[in-house]
Amino acid sequence: MKKLTTLLFLTVFLSGCAMHSEPYIMYTEKSHPLSDTSVFAIDIKGMPYVVSIDTVDGKLHRPAGAGSGWWVRVLPGVHTFQLKYNVKVNGESSYNYYVVKLKMAPKRVYLATLMVKPGEDELSYTVKELPKDEVYKMGLGLEGVNYQEFPAKFE
């Protein structure tokens, strides 16, 4: 039974890893040109904790699928992102929230790098506006199994 449960989990997990190969759209007009959008992404490489985008401008962000909680597409302008992260303090696991407010330009990717010191529950971050000609790629999946990189496109 344990093998069947493990196999079922791996099948569901691995099949879902490529579900959001593009940033999740957080505006209502889905036909809006990509060239007039911005992308906010969380640098998830090597993170020892769970972090995701919880809300964008107060709107809950709860799509299903791997990659969905780590990058979103918005219209240019000022946006507020609430990040939800899991930390362990004295062996106890809990969720905390951190708010990032940015003025975003079209055709730009804003990459947030998050840091939590071991044993602490305080998050610090840096946000880097990537150069216009740099192509950001979100890596999803398991290294050596189904890992793929997906570029943020503006065309």
Side-chain angles (χ1 to χ4, degrees):
M1 183 66 174
K2 186 176 181 179
K3 287 183 181 180
L4 179 61
T5 303
T6 302
L7 181 61
L8 180 61
F9 170 78
L10 285 174
T11 302
V12 170
F13 178 78
L14 294 176
S15 66
C17 282
M19 284 184 70
H20 282 282
S21 58
E22 296 179 4
Y24 191 78
I25 295 174
M26 292 300 297
Y27 47 88
T28 55
E29 187 190 332
K30 304 298 183 198
S31 63
H32 193 87
L34 295 181
S35 61
D36 185 41
T37 64
S38 307
V39 171
F40 177 77
I42 299 172
D43 184 3
I44 60 170
K45 293 177 186 156
M47 286 193 317
Y49 48 90
V50 178
V51 65
S52 63
I53 300 167
D54 189 53
T55 66
V56 178
D57 299 327
K59 181 179 175 186
L60 280 175
H61 174 60
R62 297 278 193 275
S68 60
W70 299 315
W71 61 342
V72 292
R73 185 177 299 278
V74 295
L75 298 177
V78 177
H79 295 282
T80 303
F81 303 93
Q82 180 175 276
L83 308 180
K84 179 180 179 180
Y85 64 102
N86 177 275
V87 294
K88 286 190 176 185
V89 178
N90 299 325
E92 298 286 324
S93 184
S94 67
Y95 282 102
N96 287 350
Y97 298 89
Y98 201 84
V99 175
V100 176
K101 190 172 184 175
L102 296 172
K103 182 175 182 181
M104 303 173 74
K107 287 189 170 182
R108 292 298 177 105
V109 173
Y110 297 81
L111 183 61
T113 302
L114 302 124
M115 297 147 281
V116 175
K117 292 182 182 177
E120 295 183 14
D121 62 353
E122 290 299 315
L123 177 76
S124 63
Y125 75 96
T126 59
V127 177
K128 178 182 176 184
E129 179 181 335
L130 301 183
K132 204 169 192 173
D133 57 346
E134 184 175 332
V135 177
Y136 174 74
K137 295 179 182 178
M138 173 65 73
L140 299 175
L142 298 174
E143 198 70 48
V145 179
N146 65 341
Y147 181 81
Q148 292 182 324
E149 290 184 336
F150 301 96
K153 299 175 186 172
F154 292 102
E155 309 260 331

